Amino acid sequence: MGRKYVDCRETPSVMNCTVAIAADTEDELIEAAVHHAVSVHSHEDTPELRSMVRQGIKDMEGAVA
């Protein structure tokens, strides 16, 4: 099981956020990414947001910075 990440740059926003978040588990990653989305982007913590975050998860293996 490899490290996973989500990257705000892959979701267009008016803030042009460049934050990327990584974790060893999907659950930990989703919690961190949802916290970021709520506290920085003013989203609501909903099942839809969590689903969107889950869909954006990528494996770090082979990722290019």
Side-chain angles (χ1 to χ4, degrees):
M1 178 199 283
R3 198 154 170 83
K4 299 181 180 307
Y5 75 98
V6 291
D7 191 333
C8 271
R9 294 175 296 181
E10 296 176 359
T11 305
S13 75
V14 294
M15 294 179 67
N16 294 318
C17 184
T18 62
V19 169
I21 301 169
D24 289 339
T25 69
E26 278 194 15
D27 289 343
E28 185 178 20
L29 179 55
I30 289 168
E31 288 304 317
V34 167
H35 176 74
H36 172 75
V38 169
S39 64
V40 174
H41 298 287
S42 300
H43 289 288
E44 289 186 41
D45 184 350
T46 64
E48 292 80 13
L49 175 63
R50 288 176 177 268
S51 177
M52 186 176 85
V53 169
R54 186 176 304 277
Q55 291 173 8
I57 293 174
K58 301 227 172 40
D59 290 325
M60 292 276 305
E61 203 170 294
V64 178

